[in-house]
Amino acid sequence: MKYLSRRDLLVGAGAVALNGGAPIGAWAQQAKGRLTVACSGEPATLVLALSTQGPTQLIGGKIFQGLLSFGFDLSPQPSLAKSWIVSPDGMTYEFKLQENVTWHDGRPFTSEDVVFTTRDMLPQTHTRARNNFANVAEFIASDPHTVIFKMKQPFAPFLGAFQVGSAPMMPKHIYAGSDYKTNPANATPIGTGPFKFNEWRRGNHIHLVRNENYWKQGLPRIQDIYFRIIPDAAGRTMAIEAGELDVATSDDIELFDVPRLNTNPSLVRVDKGDEIFGEMGWIEMNHRVKPLDDKRFRQVIMHALDRDFIASRIWFGVAKKASGPFSSATKYCDASIQGYPYDMARARKLLADMGLDPKSGGQRASLRLLQSPYGGPWNRLAEYMKQQLAELGVSLTIESTDMGAFAQRVANWDYDLTFNRLLQFGDPALGVARSYISSNIQKGVMFSNTMGYSNPKVDELFAQAQQTIDEGERMRLYKEVQAILFEDVPVGWLVEGRRVTFHNKRVRDLITTSSGTYDSFESAWIS
């Protein structure tokens, strides 16, 4: 092929120290210690290509890697790709791969793996990747260590698609020609990351060990990681206070315990490491179920909930109220959208306008709420929501399940209402559009448009915005789409998550990227 001139291209690379500043080789002899990390629920799988649930990202982020990682300022940094070139028209991306990378089974990592992952596997198994790589016309492995993507049209945030949770590289020699979801290798995942799978004792722990052939010299700095599966949040809090856990995040502990943990002299609090995510907590509403198919009823739910109360008294300030479909941490968020006010009178009027008059006993409607398995505040939120809607004559039956069954039921549309958390990945085209565009209504795929929301104008605006590289035009298009979504209420936006990490003071260099605890822990060490 004809290569583009470097003079005419934007070059992305950067001389980044691969071992966190330690002398080359020093840590190879000194790697020591065991890290014990809280895991709040049994993962459905450890294979990042098959699930983006929190426990899977936490553990899979040590086994698998993306082409790029991202700094706290969201700037792209080398990972499996050591450098990259983007053409001025945004139509060609060329990645040069690291040359000494092997899979955990010893086979070499090559450009063929990248093409297989992005062209063949992820579009079938990964909802974000399906949208991101649908913009690529040609996937070219021009030599074993060079990959070229030729775009159908410009896709402004394309580099952001290569974060490990969005595009974990998968071994072609393991998965090509197989049923990805039932491949036997899913039980013993094989990646390129700093840690290898060793053991999974269901209900107890998952054990990863140091990859002695890791491609970054001298890393990782610790010998192994135990992810302890402790379903009870109070138990996880007690374990980190007692030194039985080294790491826990605000996803793992009771949030009302955060003030006490702040004063614990054996713990360090880290308030960075979630910049790329823009986490949004919301009520997911199945539009196939009456009366949830009527936007007025979805607006009723929004008016019935006090988001200030939810953020301050249920999340204890480790979150802030959400206003609309774009997190305030996400690019192009329209700050003029302030969310639905808490207004029970307005909610009753909307119910009357719909003709949902109280029946005998004062009941207007009855719905099922599939409880989120993330515990803690989500359990309290369910009880609060049940109480609030009962005042309007809407009864909720709360159904509980485990992590795997929850994902299966939501993916297969077997719910009326549920709670979910979505990560927005810094740009609407990467983490927001997937929840609302009708082309992403994919039964059986979690974190897709599982609600069944469809609005052709929304589809059109998201498509236009991701194809333009003009910042002002993107802002105009995204403001318009936010206004429509706010009116339609596809989901009920409640809180923006703020991830806080606590770790034992013996642990050093744990959080090094904007992916926080979902990243590799390759630089972590124990003093």
Side-chain angles (χ1 to χ4, degrees):
M1 68 171 285
K2 181 179 179 180
Y3 281 84
L4 301 167
S5 167
R6 286 182 177 267
R7 177 180 297 177
D8 298 326
L9 300 173
L10 303 175
V11 178
V16 175
L18 296 182
N19 65 343
I24 295 296
W27 286 101
Q29 290 75 37
Q30 297 179 21
K32 62 181 181 180
R34 169 173 295 165
L35 200 64
T36 306
V37 181
C39 188
S40 57
E42 191 94 43
T45 178
L46 300 183
V47 180
L48 274 179
L50 302 180
S51 173
T52 57
Q53 285 185 292
T56 299
Q57 292 201 70
L58 173 68
I59 303 167
K62 287 70 183 159
I63 299 171
F64 298 96
Q65 295 180 292
L67 293 190
L68 304 176
S69 64
F70 292 82
F72 297 120
D73 61 355
L74 302 188
S75 61
Q77 306 293 331
S79 185
L80 288 176
K82 63 182 179 181
S83 65
W84 52 96
I85 301 170
V86 185
S87 64
D89 61 2
M91 294 294 288
T92 303
Y93 291 75
E94 179 181 308
F95 292 88
K96 291 293 185 181
L97 305 180
Q98 308 285 353
E99 297 181 358
N100 58 337
V101 182
T102 59
W103 295 100
H104 293 159
D105 63 0
R107 294 281 291 270
F109 164 75
T110 73
S111 57
E112 292 290 343
D113 294 304
V114 179
V115 169
F116 165 75
T117 299
T118 55
R119 183 191 64 195
D120 301 335
M121 186 170 181
L122 291 182
Q124 293 190 41
T125 63
H126 194 293
T127 179
R128 289 198 309 277
R130 178 182 300 110
N131 181 59
N132 295 342
F133 293 108
N135 296 284
V136 180
E138 292 183 77
F139 302 75
I140 303 168
S142 61
D143 66 48
H145 299 104
T146 304
V147 182
I148 299 170
F149 297 91
K150 297 278 192 179
M151 311 302 289
K152 297 175 183 176
Q153 62 274 319
F155 181 53
F158 190 56
L159 284 178
F162 292 95
Q163 185 262 356
V164 61
S166 297
M169 293 298 112
M170 302 299 296
K172 179 180 179 180
H173 66 282
I174 297 292
Y175 285 95
S178 74
D179 182 332
Y180 305 137
K181 294 183 179 181
T182 63
N183 190 305
N186 295 339
T188 55
I190 294 172
T192 60
F195 296 95
K196 302 187 299 184
F197 175 81
N198 183 58
E199 179 188 44
W200 186 346
R201 288 184 58 187
R202 299 276 174 176
N204 189 290
H205 69 258
I206 294 166
H207 184 213
L208 306 185
V209 297
R210 184 176 187 270
N211 178 8
E212 68 279 7
N213 296 315
Y214 189 47
W215 56 276
K216 291 188 181 183
Q217 186 176 4
L219 298 181
R221 300 175 176 182
I222 57 177
Q223 288 294 341
D224 62 353
I225 307 176
Y226 273 89
F227 296 91
R228 285 189 56 195
I229 300 166
I230 307 175
D232 177 57
R236 294 190 293 269
T237 300
M238 292 174 61
I240 194 166
E241 287 184 303
E244 297 169 6
L245 287 175
D246 296 311
V247 182
T249 72
S250 50
D251 289 341
D252 305 312
I253 58 181
E254 287 284 10
L255 298 182
F256 51 69
D257 287 329
V258 167
R260 188 174 79 250
L261 296 180
N262 287 339
T263 64
N264 189 317
S266 68
L267 298 177
V268 174
R269 171 173 168 160
V270 182
D271 287 285
K272 61 182 180 179
D274 66 350
E275 293 81 3
I276 200 168
F277 297 132
E279 181 181 304
M280 180 79 76
W282 66 39
I283 307 163
E284 199 149 310
M285 310 181 197
N286 191 339
H287 296 205
R288 306 166 189 88
V289 176
K290 291 186 178 300
L292 293 167
D293 60 337
D294 190 320
K295 71 179 180 182
R296 292 173 296 178
F297 191 83
R298 302 194 296 268
Q299 291 170 359
V300 165
I301 294 175
M302 294 301 289
H303 283 302
L305 302 177
D306 184 344
R307 291 170 298 116
D308 286 307
F309 174 84
I310 291 169
S312 64
R313 301 298 297 277
I314 296 180
W315 259 262
F316 291 89
V318 189
K320 72 174 188 176
K321 68 177 181 180
S323 296
F326 288 20
S327 163
S328 60
T330 299
K331 213 171 180 182
Y332 311 110
C333 175
D334 185 354
S336 69
I337 293 178
Q338 292 301 306
Y340 282 82
Y342 174 47
D343 190 339
M344 295 294 271
R346 175 62 179 160
R348 289 188 178 91
K349 183 180 185 307
L350 284 166
L351 288 168
D353 291 345
M354 292 177 64
L356 284 176
D357 298 321
K359 301 174 184 177
S360 59
Q363 184 169 304
R364 301 175 192 260
S366 178
L367 293 167
R368 302 172 300 160
L369 174 64
L370 178 62
Q371 177 59 290
S372 165
Y374 298 117
W378 302 96
N379 293 337
R380 293 188 288 274
L381 178 60
E383 294 299 330
Y384 169 71
M385 183 171 166
K386 180 176 182 177
Q387 172 186 309
Q388 291 298 104
L389 293 186
E391 291 187 25
L392 299 173
V394 178
S395 69
L396 285 187
T397 300
I398 299 175
E399 302 176 340
S400 299
T401 188
D402 60 21
M403 189 77 69
F406 169 79
Q408 184 177 44
R409 286 188 59 180
V410 175
N412 287 292
W413 312 338
D414 180 17
Y415 72 100
D416 298 344
L417 296 163
T418 190
F419 302 126
N420 219 335
R421 307 184 303 178
L422 266 290
L423 307 181
Q424 300 198 345
F425 292 93
D427 191 286
L430 296 178
V432 181
R434 60 181 168 135
S435 296
Y436 306 114
I437 55 176
S438 57
S439 61
N440 208 29
I441 299 174
Q442 301 281 339
K443 192 169 187 178
V445 180
M446 188 64 166
F447 302 120
S448 59
N449 182 348
T450 47
M451 306 83 65
Y453 171 70
S454 181
N455 185 321
K457 185 62 176 178
V458 167
D459 293 345
E460 177 188 337
L461 289 168
F462 272 124
Q464 290 176 353
Q466 75 176 24
Q467 292 172 19
T468 182
I469 58 176
D470 181 87
E471 291 291 296
E473 179 63 5
R474 290 193 87 199
M475 184 73 241
R476 184 191 70 78
L477 293 165
Y478 282 133
K479 287 184 80 168
E480 186 175 350
V481 81
Q482 286 172 84
I484 296 171
L485 291 171
F486 184 75
E487 171 71 17
D488 286 353
V489 195
V491 299
W493 311 285
L494 296 178
V495 292
E496 295 181 13
R498 294 173 174 172
R499 184 165 301 185
V500 173
T501 301
F502 289 95
H503 65 75
N504 193 287
K505 65 181 181 181
R506 300 180 301 111
V507 180
R508 309 295 181 88
D509 296 341
L510 184 76
I511 305 296
T512 58
T513 75
S514 59
S515 296
T517 57
Y518 287 174
D519 217 319
S520 69
F521 287 175
E522 65 182 14
S523 298
W525 57 286
I526 297 174
S527 61

